[in-house]
């Protein structure tokens, strides 16, 4: 309700004072981007956001993972950010002042569970007594526990460690862990070092557990500069279109941004699904302002938070309305025609 | 024997029976003011609940974690694991640091040999060091203990060197002229003379060990109070974070108090020089 009145005010301000709002521009726009492979790297590298906002100082901050992004948001250090579905559920439940405005990417095999080939893990049952790692609170930790639950495995029958992706790479190279569910670019190091892919986030998506990253904007920024939210989305949509139309050039950009060999960048690209902005407004993703309550993203947030509540990581279950209030496809609707 | 005389550490208030002194009232008052301010700020909604939860919420999370646990371990188990790591790392630092410090204080050549390594690693940030320790020692207990050990070591060594070098040479000469052996010199002159400053160094070192505890428990821990704080922060459970910090702080105060008590029992001569408040 609070968000609703806020929205009304924001709309009134932007409609009534359209000319004034045009004149009023933020001095700086800070974009926090996740250290993973998606079209934000293209947008950043081509300076598309800057082109949409002449005269504004556009800053990029690289953020290691969802937990760090939540802290950056809580400390009001970014205007735009990106979050996977578990951190989004956490942020919304804990009342962070954010709105979901776009689909950054759907996670396919760019996130996967690597197992040490020598450990002889053929099925989930073989994980019993083994040492696993995943960054707790991330999309992959969520999928790991979901997969174990579906297989009827007790997580207590194995050792699951909380490690960040770069620490997983170190622990893997020392032989301290037998399996890890994490993401590129570090995932590839494990695969090359005596491992192979056992399960991917894409397979889990086809089983009904999609994972994704959503682009977010801070409430205050959106209320003050609604036009700049649209400008930002225009730039990101252009980045996504570039990704879809120019895979070869995109791979070069990603290789440069992440300092990877071109072949690796190409493979990682294929493991991430980019959704063109016009398609993002369908029910599978964000839906529209009218249909968002039944959208795929709200469904995922509901089931993710139910899972986190069960895990005692979240104190309370938010309602469909509350998650629906968080999702704001209307900015995207305004620019997609 | 030393100059560290009437610091509050030597005041024997724990032995005193009767009404609290003026200073104890001041201590109580300052604690009450802090808690009172916390109550007021949260009660009137002056602070975002996400950053500073109400004391009641923190107390509730204390009861919940103490009885039902946090992610598979009760509060007592978390504290136990962390205290074990702290005591092992710190104990090891004392076992190595005090003899090494005495050696370096007595012998110039020992000082010349060991000081470069110690001076070099001392200012390194623990997290930078930790990455290397994890690579060398793995993600198990070894790397955690090594980090805590390395955090505690320099403070003890430096305090011990300082303590040994400031011993009045007259005592050493007097003991020598009375025919004291090397061992007697160590036990009868150096250790008693240096004791109070070594103890101060140990107390400061324990503080350093505490500062790296959360860092040590970030990597691949599944229990420990530092891990609990880190994990809860990821889920923005600020009530658990603050509760964990308070518990951690209280264990630190308790350990420090124990050390002072042991110091006073082992070195009764320091009590003679106190000024009674």
């Amino acid at each position: 309700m609070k968000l609703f009145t806020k929205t009304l005010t924001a709309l009134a301000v932007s409609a009534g004072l359209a000319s004034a709002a045009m004149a009023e521009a933020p001095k700086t726009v800070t974009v926090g981007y996740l250290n993973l492979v998606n079209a934000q790297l293209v947008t950043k590298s081509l300076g598309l956001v800057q082109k949409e906002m002449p005269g504004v100082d556009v800053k990029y901050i690289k953020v290691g993972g969802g937990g760090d992004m939540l802290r950056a948001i809580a400390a009001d250090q970014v205007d735009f950010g990106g979050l996977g579905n578990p951190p989004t559920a956490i942020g919304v439940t804990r009342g962070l002042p954010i709105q979901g405005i776009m689909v950054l990417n759907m996670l396919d095999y760019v996130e996967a569970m690597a197992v040490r080939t020598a450990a002889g893990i053929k099925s989930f049952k073989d994980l019993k007594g083994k040492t696993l790692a995943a960054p707790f609170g991330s999309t992959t930790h969520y999928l790991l526990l979901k997969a174990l639950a579906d297989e009827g495995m007790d997580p207590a029958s194995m050792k699951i460690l909380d490690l960040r992706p770069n620490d997983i790479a170190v622990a893997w190279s020392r032989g301290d862990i037998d399996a890890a569910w994490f993401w590129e670019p570090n995932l590839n190091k494990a695969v090359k070092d005596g491992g192979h892919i056992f399960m991917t986030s894409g397979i889990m998506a086809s089983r009904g557990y999609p994972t994704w990253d959503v682009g977010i904007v801070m409430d205050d920024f959106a209320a003050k500069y609604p036009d700049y939210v649209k400008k930002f989305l225009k730039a990101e949509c252009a980045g996504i279109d570039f990704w879809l139309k120019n895979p070869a050039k995109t791979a070069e950009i990603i290789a440069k941004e992440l300092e990877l060999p071109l072949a690796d960048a190409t493979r990682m690209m294929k493991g991430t699904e980019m959704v063109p902005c016009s398609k993002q407004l369908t029910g599978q993703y964000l839906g529209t302002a009218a249909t968002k309550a039944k959208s795929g993203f709200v469904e995922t947030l509901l089931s993710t938070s139910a899972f986190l509540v069960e895990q005692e990581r979240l104190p309370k279950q938010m309602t469909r309305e509350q998650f629906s209030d968080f999702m704001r496809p209307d900015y995207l609707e305004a620019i997609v025609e | 024997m030393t100059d560290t005389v009437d610091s509050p550490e030597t005041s024997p208030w724990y032995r005193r029976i009767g009404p609290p002194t003026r200073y104890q009232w001041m201590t109580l008052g300052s604690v009450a003011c802090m808690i009172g301010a916390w109550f007021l700020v949260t009660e009137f909604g002056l602070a975002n609940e996400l950053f500073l939860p109400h004391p009641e919420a923190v107390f509730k999370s204390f009861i919940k974690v103490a009885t039902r646990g946090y992610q598979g371990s009760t509060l007592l188990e978390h504290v136990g694991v962390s205290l074990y790591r702290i005591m092992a790392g710190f104990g090891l630092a004392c076992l190595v640091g005090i003899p090494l410090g005495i050696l370096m204080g007595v012998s110039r050549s020992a000082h010349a040999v060991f000081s470069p390594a110690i001076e070099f690693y001392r200012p390194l940030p623990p997290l930078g060091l930790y990455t290397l320790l994890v690579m060398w020692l793995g993600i198990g207990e070894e790397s955690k203990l090594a980090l805590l050990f390395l955090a505690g070591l320099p403070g003890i060594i430096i305090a011990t060197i300082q303590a040994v070098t400031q011993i009045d040479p007259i005592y050493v000469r007097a003991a020598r002229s009375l025919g004291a052996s090397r061992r007697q010199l160590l036990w009868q002159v150096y250790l008693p003379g240096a004791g109070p400053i070594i103890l101060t160094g140990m107390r400061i070192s324990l503080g350093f060990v505490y500062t790296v505890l959360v860092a040590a428990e970030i990597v691949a821990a599944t229990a420990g109070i530092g891990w609990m704080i880190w994990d809860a922060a990821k889920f923005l459970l600020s009530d658990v974070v603050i509760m964990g910090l308070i518990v951690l702080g209280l264990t630190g105060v308790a350990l420090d108090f124990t050390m002072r008590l042991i110091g006073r029992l082992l070195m009764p001569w320091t009590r003679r020089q106190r000024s009674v408040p």
Side-chain angles (χ1 to χ4, degrees), chain B residues 14 82 85 111 121 221:
Chain B
Y14 63 94
S82 290
R85 288 178 182 142
H111 191 273
Y121 97 79

Side-chain angles (χ1 to χ4, degrees), chain A residues 67-68 70-71 74-75 90-91 94-96 131 135-137 141 159-164 167 170-171 174 176-177 308 311-315, chain B residues 48-51 64 68-71 127 131 134-140 218-222 227 230-239:
Chain A
D68 292 334
L70 285 176
R71 276 187 277 267
I90 294 163
R94 302 300 294 174
L96 288 184
T131 306
F136 282 15
H141 182 227
K159 206 171 166 197
I160 304 177
L161 300 174
D162 177 16
L163 284 172
R164 288 168 300 180
D167 292 328
V170 172
R174 285 181 41 85
D176 289 340
I177 48 178
L308 289 170
Q311 290 276 313
E312 298 197 14
R313 303 283 192 173
L314 278 182
Chain B
N48 185 338
E49 190 203 351
L50 193 62
F51 301 131
K64 194 177 158 202
R68 293 182 32 216
Y70 182 85
Q71 295 303 314
L127 269 179
T131 314
V134 169
M135 282 190 219
W136 288 346
L137 301 170
I139 52 177
I218 282 176
V219 174
T222 46
W227 176 80
W230 169 249
D231 191 73
K234 256 195 287 198
F235 294 89
L236 301 177
L237 299 169
S238 39
D239 47 348

Side-chain angles (χ1 to χ4, degrees), chain A residues 97-117:
Chain A
I98 49 174
Q99 314 173 2
I101 52 172
M102 71 175 295
V103 182
L104 288 180
N105 53 266
M106 302 299 286
L107 298 164
D108 195 349
Y109 56 82
V110 73
E111 295 195 354
M113 181 168 169
V115 295
R116 191 179 299 285
T117 307

Side-chain angles (χ1 to χ4, degrees), chain A residues 15-291:
Chain A
L17 305 165
S19 55
M22 286 298 280
E24 201 184 318
K27 269 203 187 106
T28 58
V29 167
T30 309
V31 183
Y33 69 105
L34 291 166
N35 185 18
L36 46 78
V37 180
N38 68 22
Q40 275 202 302
L41 293 176
V42 176
T43 316
K44 171 177 175 278
S45 177
L46 299 179
L48 296 178
V49 176
Q50 185 67 72
K51 271 181 206 155
E52 285 288 334
M53 309 177 181
V56 177
D57 185 12
V58 178
K59 277 189 207 151
Y60 274 92
I61 301 178
K62 187 177 187 167
V63 182
D68 292 334
M69 187 66 89
L70 285 176
R71 276 187 277 267
I73 291 166
D76 202 12
Q77 285 168 337
V78 293
D79 298 313
F80 294 96
L83 288 170
N85 48 307
T88 306
I90 294 163
V92 173
T93 307
R94 302 300 294 174
L96 288 184
I98 49 174
Q99 314 173 2
I101 52 172
M102 71 175 295
V103 182
L104 288 180
N105 53 266
M106 302 299 286
L107 298 164
D108 195 349
Y109 56 82
V110 73
E111 295 195 354
M113 181 168 169
V115 295
R116 191 179 299 285
T117 307
I121 296 163
K122 299 276 188 292
S123 72
F124 275 98
K125 302 264 178 281
D126 298 329
L127 290 172
K128 202 169 176 179
K130 297 283 195 296
T131 306
L132 285 72
F136 282 15
S138 70
T139 43
T140 58
H141 182 227
Y142 160 75
L143 286 183
L144 172 63
L145 295 177
K146 276 281 186 196
L148 291 175
D150 275 8
E151 298 282 334
M153 296 281 295
D154 180 7
S157 68
M158 60 202 77
K159 206 171 166 197
I160 304 177
L161 300 174
D162 177 16
L163 284 172
R164 288 168 300 180
N166 51 341
D167 292 328
I168 292 180
V170 172
W172 184 281
S173 67
R174 285 181 41 85
D176 289 340
I177 48 178
D178 307 309
W181 202 325
F182 61 133
W183 51 84
E184 302 285 13
N186 282 303
L187 175 61
N188 190 41
K189 295 180 191 160
V191 173
K192 277 186 183 154
D193 187 9
H196 66 269
I197 300 292
F198 171 70
M199 175 55 69
T200 72
S201 296
I203 297 173
M204 290 301 286
S206 67
R207 289 186 185 176
Y209 307 115
T211 46
W212 36 254
D213 290 289
V214 65
I216 60 105
V217 63
M218 301 293 293
D219 281 348
D220 278 354
F221 185 91
K224 247 193 234 164
Y225 313 111
D227 288 346
Y228 279 83
V229 178
K230 290 173 198 159
K231 286 177 201 283
F232 174 80
L233 286 175
K234 263 186 210 163
E236 292 294 350
C237 290
I240 293 173
D241 288 343
F242 185 93
W243 169 297
L244 295 169
K245 282 180 196 139
N246 312 296
K249 271 185 206 154
T250 304
E252 278 172 33
I253 290 173
I254 287 167
K256 193 186 80 190
E257 286 283 331
L258 298 179
E259 294 173 19
L260 289 170
L262 192 60
D264 288 345
T266 311
R267 195 193 60 254
M268 289 173 199
M269 253 184 84
K270 288 182 190 149
T272 315
E273 188 198 342
M274 299 306 304
V275 185
C277 284
S278 55
K279 217 179 142 198
Q280 294 193 7
L281 296 167
T282 59
Q284 189 189 348
Y285 304 103
L286 306 177
T288 60
T291 64

Side-chain angles (χ1 to χ4, degrees), chain B residues 98-120:
Chain B
I98 296 174
L100 194 60
I102 292 180
L103 189 65
M104 286 168 75
V106 177
S107 143
R108 276 183 165 237
S109 32
H111 191 273
V113 168
F114 291 112
S115 66
I118 293 163
E119 289 303 321
F120 176 73

